[in-house]
């Protein structure tokens, strides 16, 4: 599994032709690590040894995929937390040693998947020199957005600080990665459909979140959502019910008998987002549903206007960011099915 990842597309055409894909120069290897992962420190464990590195990378949405190895025994540490990135290391061959949450270490072997949020905890690894890794670099913010969208809350640092192995052998996670890489087209080294690319990005984040939480003992279905105070849950209900009216957050707070500041603090603490961001997402969800159910003759302007949208340019930008396509594309797809 993943044997041909970032080497060939599904048709057997070579990927990343004409790019720097290997190096024996430490400056090139370190520049690759800083760009693809984050600023970090590396040192060979055999003094004076040169790397024999594999350096292959491309992106699916905001996720950076890389096929990588130093090619010599190397320690990497001092990963920069300000970069805000999560690293997933999928060992393809050889062995890599990583820290666990309890302070011990673990040696991952072929088929093992390890995750660490470098924005929340320290990280180091030791590659044995015979290893090959297929890595993912994922912004922490993207994982928070995924958790909020699918489960209604953002897990606290009890989850993000967990450094652990969440998959072994021929796991569903590795099968998903294999599918994702086979979806890349060699012609432009990316997935040709923005909508499919967005969906694959979302699925990768969701499956990682599920596996991470499961191995951490966190039930995402009941998680922190039930622990939120009643006014937060009531505000969510009102925002969902009134999304089509484009209500003001201050009006929602007043209806609940609390200040807008208190509502904002409650959302930030228990949901990891602002009330405005939550309402924006619910309005966009409602707009998409309206577009998907629109009768013939309706336009994006008429549908969006009826839901309180005035600045259609800004709305389109937010819509594309959330759904991977424009409102016009959603509406055309609707009419093409009629």
């Amino acid at each position: 599994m993943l044997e041909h990842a970032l080497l060939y597309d599904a048709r057997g055409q070579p990927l990343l032709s004409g790019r720097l894909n290997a190096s024996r120069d430490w400056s090139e290897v370190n520049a690759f690590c800083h760009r693809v992962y984050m600023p970090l420190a590396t040192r060979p464990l055999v003094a004076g040894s040169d790397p024999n590195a594999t350096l292959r990378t491309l992106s699916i949405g905001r996720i950076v995929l890389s096929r990588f190895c130093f090619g010599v025994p190397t320690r990497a540490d001092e990963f920069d937390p300000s970069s805000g990135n999560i690293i997933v290391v999928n060992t393809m061959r050889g062995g890599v040693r990583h820290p666990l949450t309890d302070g011990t270490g673990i040696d991952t072997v072929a088929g093992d998947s390890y995750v660490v949020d470098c924005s929340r905890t320290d990280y180091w690894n030791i590659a044995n020199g015979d290893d090959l890794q297929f890595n993912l670099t994922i912004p922490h913010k993207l994982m928070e957005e995924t958790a909020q969208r699918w489960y209604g809350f953002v897990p606290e640092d009890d989850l993000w600080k967990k450094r652990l192995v969440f998959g072994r052998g021929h796991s569903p996670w590795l099968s998903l990665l294999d599918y994702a890489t086979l979806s890349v087209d060699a012609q432009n080294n990316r997935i040709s459909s923005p909508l499919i690319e967005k969906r694959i990005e979302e699925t990768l984040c969701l499956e990682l979140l599920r596996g991470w939480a499961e191995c951490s003992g966190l039930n995402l279905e009941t998680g922190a959502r039930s622990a939120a105070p009643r006014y937060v849950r009531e505000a969510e209900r009102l925002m969902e019910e009134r999304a089509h009216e484009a209500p003001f957050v201050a009006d929602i707070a007043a209806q609940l008998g609390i200040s807008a500041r208190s509502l904002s603090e409650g959302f930030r603490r228990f949901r990891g987002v602002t009330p405005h961001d939550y309402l924006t997402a619910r309005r966009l969800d409602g707009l998409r549903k309206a577009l998907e159910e629109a009768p013939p003759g309706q336009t994006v302007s008429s549908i969006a206007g009826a839901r309180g949208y005035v600045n259609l340019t800004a709305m389109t930008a937010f819509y594309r960011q959330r759904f991977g396509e424009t409102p016009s594309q959603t509406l055309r797809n609707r009419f093409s099915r009629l």
Side-chain angles (χ1 to χ4, degrees):
M1 200 172 295
L2 294 175
E3 291 88 349
H4 298 135
L6 304 194
L7 298 178
Y8 305 99
D9 67 10
R11 297 171 297 177
Q13 298 300 309
L15 293 168
L16 304 170
S17 298
R19 297 193 187 181
L20 176 67
N21 290 315
S23 178
R24 299 189 68 89
D25 184 329
W26 277 114
S27 64
E28 290 180 335
V29 175
N30 286 328
F32 177 90
C33 290
H34 288 207
R35 175 172 59 87
V36 173
Y37 306 120
M38 66 196 74
L40 54 89
T42 62
R43 57 183 179 277
L45 299 182
V46 179
S49 60
D50 292 327
N52 185 18
T54 295
L55 311 172
R56 304 180 73 90
T57 184
L58 54 77
S59 298
I60 293 180
R62 286 174 281 175
I63 301 175
V64 180
L65 311 178
S66 55
R67 186 183 182 102
F68 174 78
C69 70
F70 289 106
V72 293
T74 305
R75 179 183 175 96
D77 52 25
E78 298 181 26
F79 286 72
D80 181 11
S82 67
S83 63
N85 286 334
I86 293 167
I87 301 292
V88 183
V89 180
N90 305 283
T91 303
M92 298 173 65
R93 71 165 185 247
V96 183
R97 188 165 184 80
H98 313 269
L100 295 176
T101 303
D102 62 7
T104 62
I106 188 169
D107 294 300
T108 57
V109 297
D112 290 351
S113 298
Y114 172 94
V115 60
V116 57
D117 187 343
C118 295
S119 73
R120 295 299 189 271
T121 187
D122 63 293
Y123 176 57
W124 53 262
N125 67 50
I126 299 174
N128 68 9
D130 296 321
D131 60 291
L132 179 63
Q133 307 157 33
F134 186 83
N135 301 331
L136 281 73
T137 308
I138 306 174
H140 175 91
K141 181 174 175 56
L142 178 57
M143 290 294 290
E144 284 192 341
E145 292 171 0
T146 302
Q148 174 64 48
R149 187 156 50 248
W150 284 88
Y151 294 103
F153 76 100
V154 176
E156 298 191 11
D157 280 357
D158 286 350
L159 174 66
W160 308 123
K161 288 183 177 180
K162 293 286 177 63
R163 304 172 296 191
L164 51 81
V165 174
F166 68 95
R168 293 184 182 277
H170 293 279
S171 65
W173 166 252
L174 292 184
S175 297
L176 177 59
L177 291 183
D178 207 38
Y179 166 77
T181 61
L182 289 173
S183 300
V184 174
D185 185 357
Q187 186 172 357
N188 53 18
N189 292 309
R190 64 178 305 151
I191 296 173
S192 55
S193 166
L195 179 58
I196 293 175
E197 182 175 30
K198 181 69 175 176
R199 292 292 178 261
I200 291 179
E201 176 197 71
E202 178 99 344
T203 305
L204 287 171
C205 290
L206 187 60
E207 180 62 18
L208 172 61
L209 181 64
R210 187 200 62 78
W212 198 349
E214 184 178 271
C215 292
S216 300
L218 172 64
N219 187 332
L220 292 169
E221 298 295 341
T222 58
R225 184 175 177 85
S226 60
R230 183 175 181 276
Y231 71 83
V232 170
R233 288 180 278 123
E234 280 297 296
E236 290 175 327
R237 181 183 64 79
L238 289 173
M239 289 179 189
E240 290 172 3
E241 289 179 354
R242 298 180 56 192
H244 63 286
E245 302 173 8
F248 292 104
V249 170
D251 292 340
I252 296 292
Q255 187 171 343
L256 295 171
I258 61 174
S259 68
R261 181 176 180 179
S262 294
L263 184 60
S264 180
E265 289 176 350
F267 265 77
R268 287 185 181 277
R269 179 179 178 186
F270 293 97
R271 296 297 186 253
V273 296
T274 66
H276 179 266
D277 288 343
Y278 184 88
L279 178 57
T280 297
R282 300 292 76 76
R283 291 189 65 206
L284 289 170
D285 290 344
L287 175 60
R288 183 175 180 82
K289 187 173 187 294
L291 291 168
E292 292 176 334
E293 297 176 353
Q298 290 288 295
T299 65
V300 170
S301 296
S302 64
I303 296 170
R307 302 187 70 83
Y309 286 101
V310 177
N311 188 335
L312 296 185
T313 300
M315 176 274 290
T316 297
F318 286 123
Y319 190 96
R320 183 197 292 271
Q321 182 180 24
R322 183 165 178 80
F323 301 115
E325 64 180 8
T326 65
S328 297
Q329 289 172 316
T330 302
L331 192 61
R332 282 200 300 270
N333 290 338
R334 159 62 175 169
F335 291 157
S336 68
R337 294 192 297 268
L338 293 179

